[in-house]
Amino acid sequence: MTWLKPVEIGQDAQAAFNEFLRDLDARLADPGADRYVLAAEVLAQMMYGRSYAQLQADAPLAALNVDARNVTFEAEYYMATDAEQFGRVKPLLWLWKNADLTPVGQNPVLGIPLRRVLAGHVFRRVGQEFKCWQNVEFSVGYNMEVGDHVVVHRHVLLDDIGGIELHDNASISDYVNVYSHTHSVLDGPDVTLKRTVIGRGARVTYHSTVLAGSVISDDAMLATHALLRGDIPPHGIAMGVPARTTRFKLRPPTQAHVDSRSFERAPERKANPEYPEPTPVQTRRPAEEDATPRALVTEEH
């Protein structure tokens, strides 16, 4: 059951939008299509209302920047990024990112199904009725696994370099950050990739952060502004910094598909060949003497 109601637009506009989406999906599915050329052409139309060839003639600097071959992403500087896989999705991520800045991306009736089409050609897996709002960022995109009826709201960062799973009916609220890599506290280049999992019907609420390797079980919730650096059991509600499970939903007993207490986790991977070994413990708790307040010293002048 949903609290949303259906909203319709004019039949002519809807028909035009549907035709555009069908054509784009078919062209992306063509193994012979040049995705860079296709994405540049679509962006030239969306952003400047003209063909890419006309844009080259009228505004060559703008034309250079709608072509993803002439731009770089942060992920391209990561050793862990698979160059071949990223090259396949890069023009579509550039199309996705820039379409969100146009009226097309700001219009839910077209922007949401456009992202659904792109997700089908970017993600490792995407289920039915994926709903993604504008200004969502991915690290590489190709390590996203998304189930049915997943909702991702505005201004979300999904750092999928180490893999992110969003299971059926998961909901990611506005301004959430979900990570799948960590840095050593002593050596920043020592990076570990850890798959992050968000279970069925789980909710990650406004402005919260999920750190790499966390497992949020089915029907669990992470509270607003919380910072999760571990797991949440089924039906649990975690809050605070760092987040701790302090409440459970009143639910009848059910068998969880994703249960952090028994979930089989993907092995961690090292992202930098200069640091191939597991990162050892590199911190300590304050000793008792560190926590003892020192007497105030007054200097005489």
Side-chain angles (χ1 to χ4, degrees):
M1 181 177 293
T2 178
W3 71 300
L4 302 176
K5 65 179 183 180
V7 178
E8 296 183 355
I9 61 171
Q11 292 184 356
D12 290 347
Q14 188 64 68
F17 293 163
N18 291 345
E19 179 60 29
F20 164 74
L21 294 167
R22 281 193 298 268
D23 178 69
L24 178 62
D25 194 23
R27 294 170 73 186
L28 289 173
D30 180 358
D34 187 325
R35 292 182 168 189
Y36 286 90
V37 172
L38 174 56
E41 186 63 45
V42 173
L43 279 177
Q45 292 287 349
M46 284 184 182
M47 300 176 72
Y48 301 100
R50 65 199 75 178
S51 70
Y52 182 69
Q54 189 62 54
L55 185 64
Q56 285 180 304
D58 296 342
L61 187 61
L64 286 171
N65 280 279
V66 299
D67 186 340
R69 289 172 291 199
N70 304 319
V71 304
T72 62
F73 281 67
E74 181 179 350
E76 291 181 89
Y77 300 91
Y78 297 164
M79 290 184 176
T81 299
D82 184 301
E84 182 178 354
Q85 290 196 74
F86 192 76
R88 179 181 58 82
V89 303
K90 178 180 175 178
L92 306 190
L93 292 176
W94 191 238
L95 172 56
W96 187 322
K97 181 191 292 280
N98 285 281
D100 282 356
L101 305 178
T102 72
V104 170
Q106 295 295 314
N107 178 10
V109 78
L110 178 55
I112 288 174
L114 170 61
R115 296 179 200 105
R116 190 177 297 144
V117 167
L118 294 175
H121 298 279
V122 171
F123 294 174
R124 179 174 296 175
R125 179 177 66 87
V126 63
Q128 300 177 4
E129 297 301 316
F130 173 55
K131 182 184 287 186
C132 184
W133 294 82
Q134 62 266 36
N135 302 315
V136 172
E137 294 271 354
F138 307 93
S139 290
V140 295
Y142 60 76
N143 277 335
M144 290 294 306
E145 296 185 56
V146 178
D148 296 338
H149 304 286
V150 169
V151 180
V152 178
H153 290 272
R154 300 166 300 164
H155 301 285
V156 168
L157 170 63
L158 296 170
D159 160 49
D160 66 309
I161 186 69
I164 292 176
E165 297 178 16
L166 305 178
H167 289 258
D168 296 352
N169 298 296
S171 174
I172 311 298
S173 296
D174 308 68
Y175 297 95
V176 162
N177 298 318
V178 180
Y179 292 96
S180 64
H181 80 278
T182 65
H183 293 261
S184 156
V185 296
L186 299 184
D187 298 291
D190 179 6
V191 175
T192 303
L193 306 181
K194 304 179 182 182
R195 179 172 292 273
T196 301
V197 179
I198 299 174
R200 293 179 177 177
R203 292 167 57 192
V204 182
T205 65
Y206 308 99
H207 295 270
S208 58
T209 297
V210 181
L211 296 185
S214 297
V215 175
I216 300 178
S217 302
D218 290 355
D219 194 42
M221 180 187 298
L222 182 63
T224 298
H225 288 284
L227 172 66
L228 183 66
R229 45 180 289 183
D231 300 334
I232 309 177
H235 317 299
I237 301 174
M239 56 187 71
V241 179
R244 292 180 172 85
T245 301
T246 59
R247 296 285 189 276
F248 284 88
K249 298 178 183 179
L250 295 175
R251 299 284 202 197
T254 56
Q255 183 173 0
H257 173 70
V258 175
D259 186 332
S260 61
R261 300 165 298 186
S262 58
F263 190 77
E264 184 175 349
R265 299 165 195 260
E268 297 180 0
R269 295 178 290 125
K270 302 298 290 188
N272 185 344
E274 294 182 7
Y275 297 86
E277 301 301 324
T279 304
V281 175
Q282 297 180 331
T283 62
R284 64 173 178 83
R285 294 184 181 276
E288 185 175 344
E289 58 269 21
D290 295 339
T292 302
R294 296 188 177 184
L296 294 176
V297 177
T298 304
E299 292 186 0
E300 302 226 358
H301 298 281

